């Protein structure tokens, strides 16, 4: 048997007996964490905008929105993706 096949067999045996999270599991955990954080972070963003007296309009750009949000110290812990999702949600609400 070639050295490669022996290595492959040993590797597969090792993989079968390893217990723990797979990369896909870790990714799913990360996505779930982001989803759970979204609602809390949306509340923080609403508070920031209310305190600054900023309202999202149909013509409000994401850069304007992000600048207002990022000027506040509470924004340091916010996920950038959640900020963008919140902007999109506010923009959609204004358009309706």
């Amino acid at each position: 048997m070639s050295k490669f096949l022996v290595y492959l067999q040993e590797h597969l045996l090792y993989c079968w007996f390893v217990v723990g999270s797979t990369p896909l599991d870790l990714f799913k955990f990360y996505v779930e964490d982001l989803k759970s954080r979204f609602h809390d972070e949306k509340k923080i963003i609403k508070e920031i905008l209310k305190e600054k007296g900023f309202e999202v309009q149909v013509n409000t750009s994401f850069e304007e929105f992000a600048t207002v949000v990022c000027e506040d110290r509470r924004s340091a812990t916010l996920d950038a993706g959640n900020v963008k999702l919140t902007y999109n949600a506010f923009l959609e609400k204004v358009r309706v």
Side-chain angles (χ1 to χ4, degrees):
M1 205 182 271
S2 74
K3 288 183 180 182
F4 175 72
L5 288 177
V6 172
Y7 168 78
L8 187 58
Q9 286 176 341
E10 290 173 359
H11 182 71
L12 288 174
L13 284 173
Y14 174 77
C15 288
W16 286 335
F17 295 108
V18 172
V19 178
S21 301
T22 66
L24 180 59
D25 291 335
L26 296 175
F27 175 75
K28 287 179 180 178
F29 296 148
Y30 178 71
V31 170
E32 285 301 315
D33 181 51
L34 285 179
K35 284 181 183 178
S36 67
R37 287 178 49 193
F38 175 70
H39 297 291
D40 295 333
E41 292 185 358
K42 188 174 180 181
K43 287 168 67 175
I44 293 170
I45 293 170
K46 280 183 180 181
E47 291 172 6
I48 292 170
L49 296 178
K50 186 175 181 180
E51 289 173 10
K52 304 261 183 179
F54 185 85
E55 290 188 24
V56 176
Q57 303 296 326
V58 176
N59 60 348
T60 302
S61 70
F62 176 69
E63 288 74 24
E64 291 176 276
F65 178 82
T67 301
V68 172
V69 171
C70 290
E71 288 174 347
D72 193 280
R73 63 177 172 73
R74 294 173 286 181
S75 69
T77 61
L78 299 177
D79 177 73
N82 284 341
V83 173
K84 180 70 172 175
L85 287 172
T86 303
Y87 166 75
N88 290 339
F90 287 159
L91 197 58
E92 196 62 36
K93 193 174 184 180
V94 171
R95 288 182 180 163
V96 174

